[in-house]
Amino acid sequence: MSILQYREALNQAMREEMLRDDRVFLLGEEVGAYNGAYKVSRGLLNEFGPERVLDTPIAELGFTGLAVGAAMAGLRPIVEVMTFNFSILAVDQVVNSAAKMLYMSGGQFGIPMVFRGPGGSAHQLAAQHSQALEAWYCHVPGLKVVMPSTPADAKGLLKSAIRDDNPVVFIESEVLYGLKGEVPEGEYTVPIGVAEIKRPGNDVTIIAHSKMVHVAMEAAKDLEAEGLDAEVIDPRTLRPLDAETLVNSVKKTNRAVIVEEGWPFCGVGAQMVDIIQEQAFDYLDAPILRVTGTDVPTPYNKSLEHLAFPDKQRVVEAVRRATYRN
Amino acid sequence: MSSGRGVAHATGGNVAEITASSTLAERARRLSPTLLKDLLEKMLLIRRFEEKAAELYALGKIGGFCHLYIGQEAVGVGAISTLGPDDYIFCSYRDHGQALARGLDPGVLMAELCGKVTGCSKGKGGSMHLFDKRLGFYGGHAIVGAHLPLAAGTAFAARYLKEPRVTLCFFGDAAVNIGSFHESLNLAQLWKLPVVFICENNEFGMGTPIEKTAAIQNLHERGGAYNMAHAGADGMDVLAVREVVAEAIERARKDSLPTLIEAQTYRYMGHSMSDPTHGIYRTKAELEEHRKKDPIKRFISALETIGVATQEYVEETDNRIREIVEQAVVFADQSPEPGRDALSADVYLP
Ligand SMILES: Cc1ncc(C[n+]2csc(CCOP(=O)(O)OP(=O)(O)O)c2C)c(N)n1
Ligand SMILES: [Mg+2]
């Protein structure tokens, strides 16, 4: 084991996969000489040269489409978007080209591409730079959506994403880049589509992904002091979702609280509610509750911003309601 | 720049100049009869195939959006005749002609239009999404302009893998106003990608004349904004298209540089089979005027002038091609529908 930052773990994953497979290359804004807007690609230009680490113009649609075309011709591009807010400019290529190419070509053209970068809010970045857009991508058949919450998962899942023959939307967390954690040495991958039970428990299931996993874990600690034993699950991959792990947990705890940073309406948690109510209806002892981002564009003001996103307290309160402790 | 026909950096593309420099017959004389006949047969095949597709559409055997290539045959045939077997082709949704020009079996194409499992995309793409990897036919794409970045991508891959493959990318005049066109041109020139962008200017984007949507007259001049070689070509003259594209393909293959070409052409049918041929946005007289420049008739008369084709040859060939098209329909008719399991197949690779 070594202790790595989340960004270093991502960097290792890319470096190892680029060493392993010549067809893997990285492109995006500032990924080369500047080492990445968040320093995730540090050193890669030096090591692999400008043929494989390409600084692009600010043209998300164009360079993402170029990557899709390169994938059609047998390469394995990693597209870095500076943040997922700007991925919106490339949505046409991700949704209309990458996700559908295999299907509409009758199975002839898979798109082995990773579309990665940070998502979610950070610190007072205001409305256009503070969005959790995973639900948009989760909606689309043909895409996989991965959101790691720890350095180990960041490394293991990114390696799996790069090796995957399908387009993988890989959403990192802007505020987790500096997070340190243990990462296994040597060859290490985490399979796509497998959830992790972060904390076993019996009284309630808390489902959370990306940085909300950490919020959920803190809440679980507080709840323990109240005599409530929460099971915390990180799906890690949102599509394909490891429904079995979620459903089995709820069958055991009979209650679920789902935490996400994104907006409530048609959010990722809404889909989880649907799956759980269908597959574990008879096991439920309370309505499934959701703790989500507030249904507003993100405000700049610090205290308003704080109100706009789930925090430990809101999760604790939701669990109390789900267990009728209020 | 040896002649007005070549690829020019600055002005280059006045279409009238290009064809005026020598007649079609004179230029045909320099080429082998085999090649000339092949070009003619491909154009005729497209014409007859598309006429049949219109019939099948009226019968309800072909559904959805179906955009015919009638009138534009010289562009696809002339341009694709310059490619090698390993080169890449991208098209918009108006892609039947290019697929046939590339050698896609007419039966397989008709089967795709009819949604049959024997179609080139197993009946799941339809008219707008023709794909054949072995032919280097990398698709019909139905979001205007969205395939230009893809074409830059295969060109990028060729350079990356040090393969001598070039990419030829067809699109309509209306695509020159969308962001992906500009982003692709910039990337292609900046990264020196072996790609030829060919704009088929048929004067309209659906029912809107290009003058109403582009603040420039010679669309290929947009290449100049990106320091890209660019040229116009008479898109009703198969040899003019061939010459201009050949030079661009050579530039792509030898120097790994892109080119923007504008082929001036005209579509005879409505935008798609659901639209009228004329009425709101153009008059019947206008359409008839353009039909006089018919690329196939012009080519036939040039070939007759130089003695490569006789009237009997043309008639025989036409009959043979009509029969091929009939057989394509038979193949499509007799082909099975995709099974229910096809619905969920090919969403993900394992
Ligand atoms: C981005 C986008 N907007 C609108 C459409 C609907 N549409 C389909 S074809 C077309 C006109 C395109 O004209 P042009 O590029 O000149 O090609 P042509 O049909 O003449 O070959 C439009 C508006 C679309 N497919 N994609
Ligand atoms: Mg047009």
Side-chain angles (χ1 to χ4, degrees):
Chain A
M1 289 283 179
S2 49
I3 304 289
L4 293 182
Q5 283 186 348
Y6 186 93
R7 67 159 61 77
E8 292 166 338
L10 293 165
N11 180 279
Q12 270 195 2
M14 288 197 285
R15 178 172 178 272
E16 288 175 16
E17 293 306 301
M18 288 178 78
L19 286 170
R20 180 176 176 267
D21 187 343
D22 288 346
R23 296 167 303 170
V24 177
F25 70 101
L26 172 68
L27 74 169
E29 294 153 18
E30 312 284 0
V31 298
Y34 195 71
N35 283 319
Y38 296 90
K39 308 301 166 201
V40 174
S41 55
R42 191 190 295 278
L44 297 181
L45 174 65
N46 273 348
E47 183 166 0
F48 297 101
E51 297 293 315
R52 295 182 70 194
V53 179
L54 295 106
D55 281 318
T56 64
I58 303 171
E60 283 78 6
L61 180 65
F63 67 73
T64 304
L66 183 146
V68 177
M72 290 178 84
L75 300 187
R76 305 182 75 85
I78 305 171
V79 176
E80 176 171 314
V81 283
M82 194 176 277
T83 80
F84 262 82
N85 301 289
F86 320 129
S87 79
I88 293 173
L89 279 296
V91 161
D92 177 47
Q93 286 298 341
V94 176
V95 173
N96 276 321
S97 297
K100 298 174 175 46
M101 203 68 77
L102 183 69
Y103 196 82
M104 66 186 186
S105 68
Q108 293 179 78
F109 291 97
I111 306 298
M113 172 177 93
V114 177
F115 186 65
R116 54 155 286 273
S121 67
H123 304 291
Q124 288 193 271
L125 300 184
Q128 293 178 334
H129 282 72
S130 310
Q131 305 177 79
L133 297 174
E134 52 267 34
W136 289 32
Y137 295 101
C138 282
H139 194 57
V140 182
L143 299 180
K144 295 186 178 182
V145 181
V146 175
M147 292 190 73
S149 65
T150 66
D153 283 348
K155 177 168 180 184
L157 283 165
L158 184 53
K159 284 170 73 88
S160 295
I162 294 168
R163 293 181 196 184
D164 202 286
D165 285 331
N166 301 285
V168 180
V169 177
F170 192 95
I171 308 180
E172 298 151 14
S173 165
E174 199 164 326
V175 298
L176 294 182
Y177 279 133
L179 178 76
K180 288 185 178 165
E182 287 190 341
V183 178
E185 309 269 2
E187 175 65 12
Y188 173 67
T189 59
V190 173
I192 289 175
V194 180
E196 186 181 36
I197 299 173
K198 306 295 290 188
R199 182 190 191 282
N202 289 308
D203 298 334
V204 62
T205 299
I206 306 177
I207 303 163
H209 63 271
S210 190
K211 74 171 176 246
M212 289 301 130
V213 172
H214 304 280
V215 173
M217 290 298 279
E218 282 174 34
K221 217 184 286 172
D222 281 16
L223 289 163
E224 197 178 322
E226 296 181 20
L228 275 169
D229 184 20
E231 177 147 300
V232 177
I233 299 181
D234 176 4
R236 303 195 286 191
T237 301
L238 297 177
R239 186 183 183 111
L241 186 69
D242 181 358
E244 197 185 331
T245 299
L246 308 190
V247 169
N248 285 344
S249 174
V250 175
K251 283 181 177 173
K252 179 177 70 174
T253 65
N254 314 111
R255 298 159 205 277
V257 170
I258 303 169
V259 190
E260 68 181 300
E261 198 181 354
W263 293 303
F265 201 86
C266 299
V268 169
Q271 183 62 39
M272 295 177 186
V273 172
D274 177 67
I275 290 168
I276 295 167
Q277 65 81 23
E278 189 179 336
Q279 297 185 30
F281 186 76
D282 290 338
Y283 294 84
L284 286 171
D285 286 344
I288 303 165
L289 299 181
R290 294 174 61 206
V291 182
T292 71
T294 308
D295 208 9
V296 296
T298 306
Y300 162 72
N301 173 276
K302 199 170 181 173
S303 42
L304 288 180
E305 183 190 40
H306 184 76
L307 287 174
F309 294 107
D311 60 8
K312 179 179 72 173
Q313 202 46 41
R314 282 173 61 195
V315 177
V316 167
E317 280 158 20
V319 169
R320 286 188 193 136
R321 275 195 291 141
T323 52
Y324 303 108
R325 294 277 184 111
N326 42 345
Chain B
M1 207 56 32
S2 54
S3 74
R5 218 171 299 123
V7 178
H9 259 93
T11 51
N14 189 318
V15 170
E17 258 172 48
I18 289 168
T19 42
S21 61
S22 58
T23 68
L24 181 54
E26 275 171 46
R27 283 175 289 124
R29 223 186 280 280
R30 295 182 219 134
L31 299 169
S32 80
T34 320
L35 171 67
L36 295 169
K37 284 179 170 170
D38 183 56
L39 295 174
L40 174 61
E41 288 179 21
K42 289 223 161 79
M43 288 200 288
L44 263 177
L45 173 62
I46 295 169
R47 178 71 54 96
R48 299 303 174 222
F49 183 96
E50 295 290 64
E51 288 166 353
K52 186 57 74 178
E55 277 175 39
L56 297 202
Y57 195 89
L59 293 172
K61 289 188 183 183
I62 298 173
F65 288 132
C66 181
H67 309 81
L68 302 185
Y69 203 55
I70 298 178
Q72 302 183 208
E73 295 92 342
V75 185
V77 170
I80 289 172
S81 74
T82 66
L83 296 183
D86 293 330
D87 293 336
Y88 299 110
I89 299 172
F90 284 87
C91 295
S92 75
Y93 46 84
R94 196 180 297 285
D95 55 353
H96 310 172
Q98 295 90 338
L100 289 170
R102 185 56 167 175
L104 183 65
D105 181 87
V108 171
L109 173 54
M110 199 62 95
E112 186 59 38
L113 303 192
C114 296
K116 299 300 181 79
V117 73
T118 51
C120 56
S121 307
K122 295 191 189 156
K124 285 164 68 171
S127 163
M128 300 191 286
H129 304 301
L130 306 173
F131 288 86
D132 190 317
K133 196 173 201 168
R134 274 167 309 170
L135 290 175
F137 203 81
Y138 275 40
H141 301 270
I143 306 296
V144 167
H147 58 297
L148 278 79
L150 303 180
T154 52
F156 175 87
R159 214 202 52 190
Y160 187 99
L161 298 166
K162 301 189 168 47
E163 296 173 339
R165 303 165 93 167
V166 303
T167 299
L168 178 61
C169 178
F170 295 86
F171 51 95
D173 44 285
V176 305
N177 299 315
I178 203 161
S180 56
F181 167 88
H182 295 275
E183 295 188 17
S184 301
L185 260 65
N186 184 52
L187 280 166
Q189 184 67 31
L190 187 69
W191 289 355
K192 300 195 175 2
L193 303 179
V195 55
V196 177
F197 296 109
I198 178 162
C199 173
E200 301 195 59
N201 184 352
N202 61 11
E203 300 189 16
F204 298 96
M206 293 185 70
T208 305
I210 185 69
E211 310 88 75
K212 278 196 182 172
T213 53
I216 188 171
Q217 251 196 337
N218 293 323
L219 303 180
H220 65 87
E221 287 174 8
R222 289 259 165 99
Y226 299 98
N227 202 24
M228 185 183 290
H230 58 91
D234 180 353
M236 304 306 258
D237 174 340
V238 66
L239 297 186
V241 173
R242 191 180 139 84
E243 283 170 48
V244 174
V245 175
E247 199 174 320
I249 292 289
E250 168 123 335
R251 171 182 295 106
R253 199 160 341 255
K254 292 237 169 82
D255 307 328
S256 191
L257 282 171
T259 304
L260 173 63
I261 292 168
E262 173 190 3
Q264 192 68 47
T265 182
Y266 205 74
R267 76 168 145 73
Y268 296 175
M269 309 295 285
H271 167 69
S272 83
M273 282 307 296
S274 13
D275 307 303
T277 55
H278 56 87
I280 306 168
Y281 63 94
R282 66 180 182 192
T283 62
K284 188 164 188 191
E286 210 176 317
L287 177 57
E288 290 312 322
E289 202 48 44
H290 276 90
R291 274 176 171 278
K292 287 183 191 152
K293 291 183 277 184
D294 187 81
I296 298 178
K297 279 194 205 141
R298 264 173 83 184
F299 196 51
I300 289 173
S301 93
L303 297 196
E304 285 174 352
T305 306
I306 64 168
V308 165
T310 59
Q311 214 178 335
E312 297 81 72
Y313 160 77
V314 173
E315 265 169 39
E316 270 170 38
T317 305
D318 195 23
N319 287 337
R320 186 164 50 79
I321 284 170
R322 285 175 192 274
E323 184 50 30
I324 290 171
V325 171
E326 285 308 324
Q327 288 310 313
V329 176
V330 171
F331 176 77
D333 278 343
Q334 291 178 351
S335 290
E337 303 272 335
R340 292 179 70 106
D341 54 338
L343 175 64
S344 299
D346 295 326
V347 179
Y348 293 97
L349 282 168

